[in-house]
Amino acid sequence: MPPLSSHAVPLSDPRPGDVLPSAVLFDMDGTLVDTEPYWIAAEIELVTAHGGTWTEDDALALIGSGLEDAAAVLQAAGADLGIREIVDRLLARVSARARERMIYKDGALELVAALREHGVPLALVTSSEKPLAEVVIEAFGGRGVFDVVVTGDLGHPAKPAPDPYLIGASRLTRAAGRALDPARMVAVEDSRTGIRSATAAGIFTLGVPNMVPVHDAGADLVLPTLAGLTPHELGRLVRGVTA
């Protein structure tokens, strides 16, 4: 994998005294799976079908937003439907495309599997709603791969509010049945909105850009990809920042 920084050499094998993350909370779209092109196509299709104008640049500005917030923007752009109908149509379209072809982000399957093997509690924290989350969870191995799933249809404030990650961290602690060191939790995000949410929740945040740059979004660390990243290496990164 590329160097972690200009002054660090990546190390994959455990070292004496290495500490794993206490938990890892993953965003979904654009972080674990490359569904963003499906969202963009669905948005353009929906708005233009109602005589409105919607471009890829417009869609990129919505990455990471809650679905109902995004639907309100699409409605203003010309989608002559109710908010819930817009959300449901987008979800159905994207879920269908994801079932046809799931595109995994580099290193995502391997990192999730390795963290699972090491017993690290995992959460999925997404602005998407349950129908799409279920498709992605199945693609990663099915129910139980993630100990906690926080979707955008649970009634809490959406990202960039800290609530999704605060809920995820709290539920992970309950699921684990033991205290989880908050200073060693990691959130993995690809969007500026998601990074703002995770950092506001006080969680060490790893930014891995997908379709928009995030180098200045406030993440604790930005890597170009998850490829080659191991659980122990992730633990060292957190320890290096929080020590």
Side-chain angles (χ1 to χ4, degrees):
M1 67 179 284
L4 301 179
S5 72
S6 59
H7 58 276
V9 177
L11 299 167
S12 297
D13 297 326
R15 288 174 159 186
D18 263 353
V19 178
L20 290 165
S22 62
V24 181
L25 300 89
F26 286 99
D27 172 56
M28 188 175 77
D29 296 291
T31 299
L32 291 179
V33 292
D34 194 11
T35 49
E36 297 296 0
Y38 298 160
W39 284 107
I40 291 171
E43 291 167 13
I44 292 173
E45 179 181 297
L46 182 65
V47 175
T48 56
H50 287 83
T53 300
W54 193 252
T55 68
E56 183 170 328
D57 286 342
D58 295 325
L60 290 176
L62 288 185
I63 287 179
S65 300
L67 290 187
E68 292 195 355
D69 293 337
V73 178
L74 294 172
Q75 193 180 60
D80 189 19
L81 299 168
I83 295 296
R84 259 331 301 179
E85 191 171 0
I86 292 173
V87 170
D88 290 343
R89 288 195 182 192
L90 292 176
L91 272 173
R93 182 61 174 149
V94 175
S95 297
R97 294 288 303 278
R99 283 192 189 92
E100 291 169 4
R101 185 189 179 204
M102 186 67 73
I103 305 173
Y104 301 94
K105 295 299 294 180
D106 289 346
L109 271 173
E110 294 82 358
L111 181 57
V112 168
L115 289 165
R116 188 83 268 169
E117 183 178 346
H118 282 82
V120 177
L122 301 181
L124 188 67
V125 181
T126 176
S127 295
S128 289
E129 297 188 358
K130 186 177 179 181
L132 180 56
E134 289 179 340
V135 175
V136 174
I137 290 167
E138 187 63 29
F140 271 78
R143 185 172 299 181
V145 172
F146 298 96
D147 302 284
V148 168
V149 177
V150 180
T151 54
D153 48 351
L154 298 181
H156 54 262
K159 301 174 185 179
D163 301 66
Y165 280 101
L166 291 173
I167 293 168
S170 175
R171 291 185 178 180
L172 275 174
T173 298
R174 291 202 301 272
R178 56 185 169 83
L180 299 176
D181 184 356
R184 291 193 294 110
M185 289 186 178
V186 182
V188 186
E189 273 282 356
D190 76 300
S191 74
R192 304 174 70 85
T193 301
I195 287 170
R196 288 167 59 195
S197 175
T199 56
I203 300 173
F204 173 88
T205 304
L206 173 61
V208 184
N210 179 36
M211 299 190 76
V212 294
V214 298
H215 64 279
D216 58 348
D220 295 285
L221 182 69
V222 176
L223 295 179
T225 176
L226 294 176
L229 189 63
T230 68
H232 286 94
E233 187 173 64
L234 192 53
R236 287 199 290 276
L237 293 174
V238 180
R239 187 176 62 180
V241 171
T242 61

Coordinates of all heavy atoms in Angstrom, one line a residue, residues 7 183-186 202-206 218-222 233-243:
H7 N 6.5 10.4 6.6 CA 7.5 10.0 7.6 C 7.2 8.7 8.3 O 7.8 8.3 9.3 CB 7.6 11.1 8.7 CG 6.4 11.4 9.4 ND1 5.4 12.2 8.9 CD2 5.8 10.8 10.6 CE1 4.4 12.3 9.8 NE2 4.6 11.4 10.8
A183 N -11.2 6.3 23.1 CA -10.0 6.9 22.5 C -9.4 6.0 21.4 O -8.5 6.4 20.7 CB -8.9 7.2 23.6
R184 N -9.8 4.7 21.4 CA -9.3 3.8 20.4 C -10.3 3.3 19.4 O -10.1 2.4 18.7 CB -8.7 2.6 21.1 CG -7.4 2.9 21.9 CD -6.6 1.6 22.3 NE -7.3 0.8 23.3 CZ -7.9 -0.4 23.0 NH1 -7.8 -0.9 21.8 NH2 -8.5 -1.1 24.0
M185 N -11.5 4.0 19.4 CA -12.5 3.8 18.4 C -12.0 4.5 17.1 O -11.4 5.5 17.1 CB -13.9 4.3 18.8 CG -14.5 3.4 19.9 SD -16.2 4.0 20.2 CE -16.7 2.8 21.4
V186 N -12.4 3.9 16.0 CA -12.1 4.5 14.7 C -13.3 4.6 13.8 O -14.1 3.6 13.7 CB -11.0 3.6 13.9 CG1 -10.7 4.3 12.6 CG2 -9.8 3.4 14.8
G202 N -16.4 12.9 18.5 CA -15.2 12.6 19.3 C -14.5 11.4 18.9 O -13.7 10.9 19.7
I203 N -14.7 10.8 17.7 CA -14.1 9.5 17.3 C -13.0 9.8 16.4 O -13.1 10.7 15.5 CB -15.1 8.6 16.7 CG1 -16.3 8.3 17.7 CG2 -14.5 7.3 16.2 CD1 -17.4 7.6 17.0
F204 N -11.8 9.1 16.6 CA -10.7 9.2 15.6 C -11.3 8.9 14.2 O -11.9 7.8 14.1 CB -9.6 8.3 16.0 CG -8.5 8.1 15.0 CD1 -7.4 9.0 15.1 CD2 -8.5 7.2 14.0 CE1 -6.4 8.9 14.2 CE2 -7.5 7.1 13.1 CZ -6.4 8.0 13.1
T205 N -11.0 9.7 13.3 CA -11.6 9.6 12.0 C -10.6 9.4 10.9 O -9.7 10.3 10.7 CB -12.5 10.8 11.7 OG1 -13.5 10.9 12.7 CG2 -13.3 10.5 10.3
L206 N -10.7 8.3 10.1 CA -9.9 8.0 9.0 C -10.6 8.4 7.7 O -11.7 7.8 7.5 CB -9.5 6.6 9.0 CG -8.7 6.1 7.7 CD1 -7.4 6.8 7.6 CD2 -8.5 4.5 7.8
G218 N -11.1 17.8 8.0 CA -11.0 17.7 9.5 C -10.8 16.3 10.0 O -10.8 16.0 11.2
A219 N -10.5 15.3 9.1 CA -10.2 13.9 9.5 C -8.9 13.9 10.3 O -8.0 14.7 10.0 CB -10.1 13.0 8.3
D220 N -8.7 13.0 11.2 CA -7.5 12.9 11.9 C -6.4 12.4 11.0 O -5.2 12.7 11.2 CB -7.7 11.9 13.1 CG -8.6 12.4 14.1 OD1 -8.2 13.3 14.9 OD2 -9.8 12.0 14.2
L221 N -6.7 11.6 10.0 CA -5.8 11.0 9.0 C -6.5 10.8 7.7 O -7.7 10.4 7.8 CB -5.2 9.7 9.6 CG -4.1 9.1 8.7 CD1 -2.8 9.9 8.7 CD2 -3.8 7.7 9.3
V222 N -5.8 11.0 6.6 CA -6.4 10.7 5.3 C -5.5 9.7 4.6 O -4.3 9.9 4.5 CB -6.6 11.9 4.5 CG1 -7.1 11.5 3.1 CG2 -7.6 12.9 5.1
E233 N -2.2 -2.4 12.2 CA -1.7 -1.1 11.7 C -2.7 0.0 12.0 O -2.4 1.1 12.4 CB -1.6 -1.2 10.2 CG -0.9 0.0 9.5 CD -0.6 -0.3 8.1 OE1 -1.6 -0.5 7.3 OE2 0.5 -0.3 7.7
L234 N -4.0 -0.3 11.9 CA -5.0 0.6 12.3 C -5.0 1.0 13.7 O -5.1 2.2 14.1 CB -6.4 0.1 11.9 CG -7.6 1.0 12.0 CD1 -7.4 2.2 11.1 CD2 -8.9 0.3 11.5
G235 N -4.7 0.0 14.6 CA -4.5 0.3 16.0 C -3.3 1.2 16.3 O -3.4 2.1 17.1
R236 N -2.2 1.0 15.5 CA -1.1 1.8 15.7 C -1.3 3.3 15.2 O -0.8 4.2 15.9 CB 0.1 1.3 14.9 CG 0.7 0.0 15.5 CD 2.1 -0.3 15.0 NE 2.2 -0.7 13.6 CZ 2.0 -1.9 13.2 NH1 1.7 -2.9 14.1 NH2 2.1 -2.2 11.9
L237 N -2.1 3.4 14.2 CA -2.4 4.8 13.7 C -3.2 5.5 14.8 O -2.9 6.7 15.0 CB -3.2 4.7 12.4 CG -2.5 4.1 11.2 CD1 -3.5 4.0 10.0 CD2 -1.4 5.0 10.8
V238 N -4.2 4.9 15.4 CA -5.0 5.5 16.4 C -4.1 5.9 17.6 O -4.2 7.0 18.2 CB -6.2 4.6 16.9 CG1 -7.0 5.3 17.9 CG2 -7.0 4.3 15.7
R239 N -3.3 4.9 18.0 CA -2.4 5.1 19.2 C -1.5 6.3 18.9 O -1.2 7.1 19.8 CB -1.6 3.9 19.5 CG -0.9 4.0 20.8 CD -0.2 2.7 21.1 NE 0.8 2.3 20.1 CZ 1.5 1.2 20.1 NH1 1.4 0.3 21.1 NH2 2.4 0.9 19.1
G240 N -1.0 6.4 17.7 CA -0.1 7.5 17.4 C -0.7 8.8 17.5 O 0.0 9.8 17.8
V241 N -2.0 8.9 17.2 CA -2.7 10.2 17.3 C -3.2 10.5 18.6 O -3.1 11.7 19.1 CB -3.8 10.2 16.2 CG1 -4.7 11.5 16.4 CG2 -3.3 10.2 14.8
T242 N -3.7 9.5 19.4 CA -4.3 9.7 20.6 C -3.4 9.6 21.8 O -3.7 10.0 22.9 CB -5.5 8.7 20.8 OG1 -5.0 7.4 20.8 CG2 -6.5 8.9 19.8
A243 N -2.2 9.1 21.6 CA -1.2 8.9 22.7 C -0.8 10.2 23.3 O -0.7 11.2 22.6 CB 0.0 8.1 22.3

